[in-house]
Amino acid sequence: MLIESGCYHCGEPLPRGADYRLLIDGREQRLCCPACLAVSECIVASGLGDYYLMREQHAERPGDSRDDFAQYDVPAVYQQFSHAIDGGWRSQLSIADMHCAACAWLIEARLGELPGVMAVHVNLQRGVVTIDWQLGQCQLSTLFAAINQLGYCAQAWSAQGHWQQLNAQRRALLRRLGVAGVAMMQLLMVAIALYAGDFQGIDSDSRQLLRWYSLALATPVIFYSSQPFFKGAWRSIRGGRLGMDVPVSLALLAAYGASVRATLSGTGHVYFDTVSMFSFFLLLSRYVQGALQMRREAAMRPLLPMTARKCVADGSIEWLALPSLREGDELIVQPGEVVPADGQVVAGSSSVEDSVFSGEFMPRDIAVGDAVLAGCHNIDGSLRLRVSRASQQCRLSQIDKLLDRARGAKPATSELADRISGHFTALVLCCSVAAYAYWTLQSGHSAFLTALAVLVVSCPCALSLATPSSYAAAVSALRRRGVLVANAAVLESLASISHVIFDKTGTLTEGRPQLLRVESQSGYSDRELLSLAAALESGSPHPIARAFTEDALRRAGYAIDARTVCRQEIKAGQGVSGDIDGRHYRIGRREFCAVNAARSRCSEEQMTVYLSEGEQLIGRFVLQDSLRCDAQASVAEFRRRGIRTLLLSGDVSAEVARLAADMGFDDYRASCSAGDKLQRIRQLQQSGAVVMMVGDGVNDAPVMAAADVSVAMAGASDLTNSCADVLLLNDQLSLLSTVFVVAAKMRRVLRQNIVWALLYNGCALPAAALGLVPPWLAAIGMSLSSLVVVINALRLDRQPLAVTPPVLLSAGEPRWQHG
């Protein structure tokens, strides 16, 4: 419990004349200012006064200003750091000034009391709180205000903010490492003098002077450099589990405490050099791991510039912050700069490197009319871009959100490793006590040093890092090759896939149907029919709607008249209906348009779209779509792996049957609605199959969600709303093979890491207990074991894979809804 010598809340000195008092836990406590008084009153009034008994240090003094949190109630604002879940929204906030487990407990308890809050989880290490809340019963401004009342500063989570947090942690760790390193070098020289003095003779005054000097050097190491270990250990104990920082903290405190006692009494040995070496090597290991994580983050999430050059109407240039950019703004991007927003080139030409999306590091040439995505590097030419999406909705921001979802997934192997490491930590503590008791009864050997070595050498850091490091490296490797894994846990499931189901339109085919001919059925001219069709399809995101745009029809040699549609209704997988000039029309599948099959007299071997007025068929449109160049090879690759392939399509049976036969599918079904596909997947799963679904991820969202593993084609899906586990960022089916290859290598590396971790701990523990490992070697061995695991996992991100060079899809392509 903290000793109060100033303000009870923040610990600052009490100003002269300040008389702010509050009854806390039955005692009147003094506070320094109205802000601390308001925060303390909020904590006590909420029934959370136990915070003051649990805390390990004083809180920061709260600011006197109160932000206007109403801005976070605007959907366009909170959707930037939130995503929809069943029954509400899930938002992530960054929290500053959280110091200990008591801070996390306080925030979770306070927010959990608010109406409409379904769940609260605070990640103390990352400084992030995840809140599930119900719209209508709760507002985000209320949550921000509640956090502010507790004295913490909350802001919307962002990838930029997370990078800054990682960088701040790296700098803080480097400072701690520097203090430990300087102290270690000095203490080693002192230790040599003390050890030599024991053999060659040294007077007691000199020995005592060197000991006090060692104490002065080692104290900053304990109270500053080693704080991350102590905080981690305390959090583990408060959480009711034994983390890997517990034995390290016990070893440091035991060595320091015994050395202080020996210094004060003037008898016995001091181990200040051991303390500094423990801290230095462990901090060095964490610093290297943190540096590798930052490198991985930089490769996966290229940072956008903070500002952009906007072209003003008078021809001048104005610098704007990225959040201020709006659709339609025109920007100048100079050679060597990063493209700040998704846009279309309106002037200039250059080459851009877009490996962040395509996985292809060779630059591609762009000119007027081409689309460029935020995060691409402009290489050798000046470009003028027209912004097509604000920075918060750009493709890179959407990918960031899915990467964060992948980071939140905890595979079963990781949970098992965490449980094993907790039990192993308990075993290490027991072995340390047993080794100390045994060697105390023996002569000629230091029981204390043996116990310290056992505590450190067998810390299960390598075991705890084995799984997350392997998964992170695999996700990074796939990300660099144009595949985004939104749920890392599925990498385990790929080995057991027995069936792969493909959608047709937009998946096996290019999803760019072209109009072949128009067939009138009731005296309408081709121009009139196409005008009606274009008006009805104008609001549809379906791939077929692309064939009825004015540009597509003009390229096909047709002209249309502008029509206005009212009461437009889109039915996923069926078609579109609406009123034009007071008449009701439908366009889409034959059944949707209520067309009698006997009367349609249309060849079922072609893609046909029907147009009806009321119950009467007035026209048909015959379309064609081209097959993806790598589709047949991808299906053959699955057959080679012994995986059964199925084709489920909403198209007519003759066309689907021909395609299934040509591509070698094991089974197919035509004229399938979303419900039919869902029923088929459930039938397969009930028979024991493990199913992967490959589709556009929009109209078949329930189907994608029902599959054991779902893969979406990014060019045909809205990344922010996709429920897919894997996203192909460049729409090349050949990347499916890459996913399986990387997942298989990940499983091999994971097994290697786990075997290494178990083998190391299995050998190091008895060796240390037998007194064969000195404490300094124990610290080095434990650090190296962790680094071996991390570096082995990095091989996943370095090994070249045979991947067909992908093609980047246009950022301006439509996102389709049905079919």
Side-chain angles (χ1 to χ4, degrees):
M1 184 175 178
L2 294 172
I3 298 175
E4 312 302 339
S5 57
C7 173
Y8 187 73
H9 181 73
C10 70
E12 295 290 330
L14 295 171
R16 182 175 298 178
D19 189 21
Y20 303 101
R21 301 172 184 268
L22 183 66
L23 191 66
I24 301 176
D25 198 25
R27 297 179 59 186
E28 189 177 70
Q29 305 292 350
R30 298 190 63 188
L31 303 153
C32 67
C33 63
C36 285
L37 177 63
V39 171
S40 299
E41 285 178 338
C42 174
I43 293 174
V44 173
S46 301
L48 304 174
D50 286 346
Y51 162 73
Y52 290 109
L53 302 177
M54 298 169 57
R55 63 178 178 171
E56 302 165 40
Q57 64 185 79
H58 290 97
E60 299 287 335
R61 175 182 286 183
D64 294 326
S65 62
R66 292 293 183 266
D67 296 329
D68 182 12
F69 299 120
Q71 57 181 313
Y72 296 111
D73 293 333
V74 180
V77 175
Y78 68 70
Q79 288 175 8
Q80 298 176 28
F81 55 93
S82 310
H83 66 272
I85 59 173
D86 291 339
W89 289 83
R90 175 169 294 165
S91 302
Q92 282 192 319
L93 313 180
S94 295
I95 308 292
D97 303 327
M98 286 197 301
H99 301 293
C100 60
C103 299
W105 172 84
L106 178 65
I107 294 173
E108 288 182 346
R110 180 70 183 97
L111 297 183
E113 294 177 342
L114 299 178
V117 175
M118 298 181 289
V120 183
H121 173 69
V122 175
N123 188 321
L124 189 61
Q125 292 179 333
R126 296 182 64 201
V128 175
V129 57
T130 304
I131 309 171
D132 294 349
W133 54 283
Q134 293 177 308
L135 188 63
Q137 299 186 28
C138 180
Q139 291 185 319
L140 265 183
S141 59
T142 305
L143 304 178
F144 274 91
I147 296 172
N148 182 270
Q149 289 173 354
L150 294 177
Y152 300 94
C153 177
Q155 61 181 4
W157 192 95
S158 67
Q160 293 268 1
H162 180 59
W163 174 264
Q164 294 171 357
Q165 183 184 37
L166 286 177
N167 201 29
Q169 291 174 354
R170 182 188 63 84
R171 291 196 301 268
L173 195 59
L174 184 59
R175 289 192 294 269
R176 298 181 191 275
L177 181 63
V179 171
V182 171
M184 180 187 70
M185 289 185 291
Q186 298 296 320
L187 285 168
L188 284 175
M189 290 189 294
V190 174
I192 292 173
L194 287 173
Y195 292 144
D198 290 339
F199 291 101
Q200 300 176 4
I202 185 173
D203 62 274
S204 60
D205 290 340
S206 298
R207 177 185 289 109
Q208 198 63 11
L209 177 62
L210 291 176
R211 287 183 170 187
W212 280 104
Y213 179 64
S214 298
L215 174 61
L217 289 173
T219 298
V221 176
I222 282 291
F223 289 96
Y224 176 67
S225 297
S226 301
Q227 284 305 300
F229 310 123
F230 299 145
K231 290 180 179 179
W234 181 245
R235 283 195 295 267
S236 297
I237 294 172
R238 296 292 303 183
R241 58 184 298 271
L242 293 174
M244 55 189 177
D245 285 330
V246 173
V248 171
S249 299
L250 287 176
L252 289 169
L253 290 175
Y256 181 77
S259 301
V260 170
R261 177 176 175 275
T263 301
L264 295 175
S265 64
T267 59
H269 294 283
V270 293
Y271 310 102
F272 293 121
D273 57 323
T274 301
V275 170
S276 64
M277 291 180 68
F278 277 177
S279 296
F280 177 78
F281 286 117
L282 298 181
L283 288 171
L284 179 62
S285 175
R286 294 196 178 187
Y287 180 80
V288 172
Q289 293 170 28
L292 293 175
Q293 180 186 3
M294 288 192 66
R295 193 188 74 172
R296 201 160 44 227
E297 290 276 342
M300 295 172 69
R301 311 173 189 245
L303 296 182
L304 298 178
M306 299 181 65
T307 57
R309 300 182 188 85
K310 178 185 174 183
C311 301
V312 187
D314 60 5
S316 61
I317 298 296
E318 177 185 3
W319 285 95
L320 285 183
L322 245 60
S324 301
L325 295 179
R326 296 293 179 264
E327 184 177 345
D329 288 347
E330 292 193 0
L331 311 176
I332 296 294
V333 183
Q334 298 290 1
E337 295 181 346
V338 176
V339 177
D342 291 358
Q344 190 173 34
V345 179
V346 294
S349 61
S350 181
S351 56
V352 296
E353 188 265 304
D354 50 21
S355 60
V356 64
F357 301 102
S358 66
E360 175 56 52
F361 288 90
M362 292 298 295
R364 67 182 180 96
D365 295 331
I366 58 171
V368 175
D370 291 334
V372 186
L373 300 179
C376 296
H377 289 263
N378 182 26
I379 297 177
D380 54 14
S382 180
L383 295 174
R384 185 173 180 136
L385 305 179
R386 180 178 293 117
V387 176
S388 59
R389 278 193 293 263
S391 60
Q392 296 84 355
Q393 283 79 42
C394 72
R395 180 72 65 89
L396 189 61
S397 296
Q398 298 168 358
I399 290 174
D400 280 341
K401 294 176 183 178
L402 291 176
L403 282 172
D404 294 324
R405 194 176 91 187
R407 285 168 57 102
K410 193 151 190 177
T413 306
S414 181
E415 295 179 352
L416 177 61
D418 287 345
R419 289 195 298 270
I420 293 175
S421 65
H423 295 306
F424 191 82
T425 301
L427 175 63
V428 168
L429 296 178
C430 294
C431 288
S432 179
V433 173
Y436 181 81
Y438 173 79
W439 287 107
T440 301
L441 303 176
Q442 309 300 317
S443 60
H445 195 86
S446 173
F448 184 73
L449 292 179
T450 301
L452 290 183
V454 171
L455 283 174
V456 175
V457 76
S458 298
C459 178
C461 295
L463 185 60
S464 297
L465 291 172
T467 300
S469 60
S470 300
Y471 275 90
V475 171
S476 177
L478 289 170
R479 176 70 183 85
R480 289 162 59 86
R481 290 165 173 83
V483 180
L484 178 61
V485 179
N487 180 7
V490 303
L491 294 176
E492 287 187 57
S493 307
L494 292 178
S496 56
I497 294 294
S498 61
H499 291 69
V500 174
I501 296 177
F502 285 89
D503 189 20
K504 176 179 171 289
T505 305
T507 303
L508 293 175
T509 63
E510 293 287 350
R512 299 180 179 87
Q514 297 177 346
L515 181 65
L516 287 183
R517 64 179 183 272
V518 182
E519 298 178 357
S520 177
Q521 300 293 311
S522 55
Y524 281 84
S525 67
D526 291 354
R527 186 185 185 104
E528 290 174 323
L529 291 175
L530 289 172
S531 299
L532 293 172
L536 290 170
E537 294 281 17
S538 60
S540 172
H542 190 275
I544 288 179
R546 183 181 177 87
F548 294 97
T549 63
E550 184 177 359
D551 290 341
L553 292 174
R554 184 169 54 250
R555 288 194 299 268
Y558 296 96
I560 61 174
D561 300 318
R563 298 292 182 91
T564 301
V565 61
C566 302
R567 296 196 302 171
Q568 185 186 45
E569 182 180 354
I570 300 174
K571 188 172 182 181
Q574 299 295 320
V576 185
S577 63
D579 295 342
I580 300 176
D581 297 333
R583 298 180 179 181
H584 187 69
Y585 295 92
R586 291 187 178 191
I587 186 171
R589 296 177 60 178
R590 185 180 60 206
E591 296 81 2
F592 177 74
C593 296
V595 176
N596 187 290
R599 294 167 49 199
S600 65
R601 294 181 293 105
C602 179
S603 171
E604 293 294 325
E605 295 183 357
Q606 295 173 307
M607 184 187 304
T608 306
V609 177
Y610 296 85
L611 177 64
S612 65
E613 178 184 347
E615 301 296 327
Q616 180 184 4
L617 173 68
I618 61 174
R620 287 191 297 261
F621 308 97
V622 180
L623 311 175
Q624 71 172 3
D625 195 3
S626 57
L627 194 67
R628 293 188 187 276
C629 60
D630 57 355
Q632 190 158 5
S634 299
V635 174
E637 174 65 17
F638 280 115
R639 290 204 313 272
R640 188 187 67 80
R641 293 178 176 272
I643 300 174
R644 290 183 60 82
T645 55
L646 294 84
L647 174 60
L648 301 183
S649 174
D651 290 346
V652 294
S653 59
E655 182 185 1
V656 175
R658 177 186 56 80
L659 183 64
D662 292 344
M663 298 186 64
F665 277 93
D666 295 306
D667 193 9
Y668 73 91
R669 290 193 181 184
S671 303
C672 288
S673 64
D676 296 332
K677 296 177 184 178
L678 182 61
Q679 182 181 10
R680 178 57 176 157
I681 285 181
R682 288 176 174 168
Q683 288 175 350
L684 290 171
Q685 290 172 333
Q686 289 173 359
S687 65
V690 180
V691 181
M692 171 190 280
M693 174 70 189
V694 184
D696 56 27
V698 181
N699 63 302
D700 293 330
V703 182
M704 302 287 281
D708 297 283
V709 177
S710 54
V711 180
M713 314 297 290
S717 63
D718 187 341
L719 291 177
T720 56
N721 296 325
S722 175
C723 61
D725 301 310
V726 179
L727 292 165
L728 306 184
L729 297 179
N730 49 51
D731 276 350
Q732 284 207 329
L733 288 172
S734 59
L735 288 178
L736 290 173
S737 177
T738 302
V739 175
F740 275 81
V741 170
V742 172
K745 290 185 177 180
M746 185 276 295
R747 290 190 295 272
R748 287 199 300 270
V749 169
L750 178 57
R751 285 194 295 267
Q752 292 169 3
N753 281 347
I754 292 178
V755 169
W756 159 254
L758 294 175
L759 183 63
Y760 165 78
N761 285 289
C763 295
L765 180 59
L770 292 173
L772 302 178
V773 181
W776 63 269
L777 185 58
I780 295 176
M782 196 274 278
S783 301
L784 287 179
S785 69
S786 301
L787 290 178
V788 166
V789 165
V790 175
I791 293 173
N792 187 45
L794 286 179
R795 293 190 302 116
L796 287 167
D797 203 8
R798 291 180 177 177
Q799 290 177 346
L801 293 173
V803 181
T804 304
V807 179
L808 181 67
L809 290 180
S810 170
E813 292 188 6
R815 303 192 183 311
W816 304 314
Q817 189 74 25
H818 63 275

